Amino acid sequence: MKIKTILVGFTLIMAITLLFVGVRIAVNKDSAVKNVINEMNGITKDAVQMLGEPLTIQKVQEAQKILDERKSGLVEKMADLKKSTDFSEKSEIANELNNCRAINKDKIAEIYNKYSNKSINDVKAINDLKNKLRFESSRKVIREINREIDEKMKALEANIDLLDAMDKFVSNYELVINTK
């Protein structure tokens, strides 16, 4: 009778211990995943805020500094995630991270696309003005159209410089966000 009681007690203690270990592993996994996702979301939120209107090359450079400062934190959290879970590229965790990456990349792409579209529209406007010149005979109107073309060209050149800076930022951003 005493042996049976001891065995039942021991079995209950083992079951409870295993239950707590399992819960602890699950909590660690969820915590590690949340840490990575929160870091990705935080980097993106701070970058998007920095890249607000009006966008300048200086703002892009500041967003790059944010990225550089936060990269090690994301790499560290990703390493913790891999240590605390049975992480694989085909796991549910990987899918969750990939969804987070896609959402965050879309936020940055939206800003980039806005300025890319502005350049396309500027080129169209310049071409329309040049077409207008072909049929214009008044010197005064020709001077005015040429002035408009010059202004649009300067704006286009500035926007292209901005897009170059954004290209570099977006490439670096994707490298950081795609940390594995």
Side-chain angles (χ1 to χ4, degrees), residues 26-142:
V27 168
N28 284 344
K29 176 182 104 173
D30 289 344
S31 176
V33 171
K34 285 179 183 173
N35 284 341
V36 171
I37 288 174
N38 287 341
E39 188 66 20
M40 281 185 198
N41 290 341
I43 289 170
T44 302
K45 179 182 173 216
D46 291 348
V48 167
Q49 284 178 338
M50 183 55 65
L51 298 171
E53 291 289 331
L55 187 60
T56 63
I57 290 176
Q58 291 76 19
K59 286 184 176 182
V60 175
Q61 291 168 343
E62 288 298 317
Q64 181 62 52
K65 286 179 188 174
I66 291 170
L67 207 54
D68 293 341
E69 291 168 359
R70 306 269 302 267
K71 179 181 180 178
S72 62
L74 180 60
V75 169
E76 185 178 300
K77 286 175 175 62
M78 194 65 192
D80 290 346
L81 173 65
K82 287 181 178 179
K83 286 178 193 171
S84 68
T85 64
D86 55 343
F87 183 85
S88 77
E89 291 303 317
K90 295 181 181 175
S91 68
E92 184 180 319
I93 294 169
N95 288 337
E96 195 172 341
L97 292 176
N98 287 335
N99 288 338
C100 177
R101 286 179 180 115
I103 290 166
N104 284 301
K105 286 178 186 178
D106 285 347
K107 291 175 183 178
I108 299 296
E110 189 176 312
I111 295 168
Y112 181 85
N113 289 341
K114 178 179 179 180
Y115 287 90
S116 178
N117 289 339
K118 183 182 181 311
S119 288
I120 291 168
N121 292 336
D122 285 347
V123 168
K124 288 178 183 176
I126 290 167
N127 286 336
D128 289 345
L129 288 169
K130 286 181 178 180
N131 283 334
K132 236 179 172 180
L133 275 177
R134 292 183 192 170
F135 303 107
E136 190 54 56
S137 59
S138 166
R139 290 186 184 270
K140 182 179 178 183
V141 174
I142 290 173

